Amino acid sequence: MSHPFLLIRHHACATALIAGVVLVLGAGLSAPAAAQDKEAIKIELPQPYFGGTPLDYFGPNLEKPNYKPRPPFMAPKGTTNVALGKAVSSSDADPELGALGLLVDGDKGYRPKQVLGLANGHQWVQVDLGAPHHLYAFLLWHYHAEERVYFETAVQVASDAEFTKDVQFVFNNDHDNSAGLGVGSDKEYVEDYRGKLVDMKGVKGQFVRLYSVGNTSDELNHYVELEVFGKPAE
Ligand SMILES: [Ca+2]
Ligand SMILES: [Ca+2]
């Protein structure tokens, strides 16, 4: 038979225990808002290509290959590819291969009909997102049917089509300024089916411009697809 005093103690212990559980649950619910408002961006990769010519190239600024799976890229909820189907223009208005629209048509195939090829030399291609956006990442495939490095790859964001307002670099691997846009601290990289994913850190802009100066296989500047993950700026 329990003593009344013990019953009261048990009850007090149980109450304290429940209060503790509620506190722990409460702490879980009040996790930092920033983490709760983010989700992984949705990335669809093309089929890997097996074969092609192994790359015989070494540059002092070439990044080491990384075969580990890419971790999810977290961005604010509602972030999507805002470049899909948008208007494209270029320093080479009449491309050597394909058409400018292939840059953002959602097709990541590498067959000749699916690839945009800009002329030799320092060329750019840009997409008009149609309105100012906060931009969190870009994902770029120049070409992925063999191992290649595209030289002096640079990516800029601006508020105007002429790139005179709010111009910011979000990538630049021209480490010796041979293209004349300025010295960049990013690395050269070997193309593959996973594309190049770069954090744009929420930069605001309406136009995204890509530069390059040929590649390890030929002098042209190829593009399979560009995705720009962002949200309309309020
Ligand atoms: Ca495409
Ligand atoms: Ca260079």
Side-chain angles (χ1 to χ4, degrees), residues 41-43 79-82 134-137 139 227-230:
I41 59 171
K42 289 181 187 68
I43 294 176
T79 296
T80 59
N81 172 19
V82 294
H134 289 293
L135 304 173
Y136 300 101
L139 182 54
E227 294 186 328
V228 181
F229 293 91

Side-chain angles (χ1 to χ4, degrees), residues 3-63:
H3 193 279
F5 178 67
L6 285 177
L7 269 179
I8 289 163
R9 275 188 59 192
H10 283 151
H11 180 73
C13 280
T15 306
L17 192 67
I18 290 164
V21 167
V22 169
L23 267 176
V24 168
L25 285 175
L29 288 173
S30 63
Q36 287 188 344
D37 293 343
K38 289 192 169 185
E39 62 186 359
I41 59 171
K42 289 181 187 68
I43 294 176
E44 279 184 33
L45 297 181
Q47 289 296 313
Y49 181 84
F50 297 104
T53 314
L55 181 65
D56 183 17
Y57 166 77
F58 176 77
N61 196 37
L62 181 63
E63 120 188 319

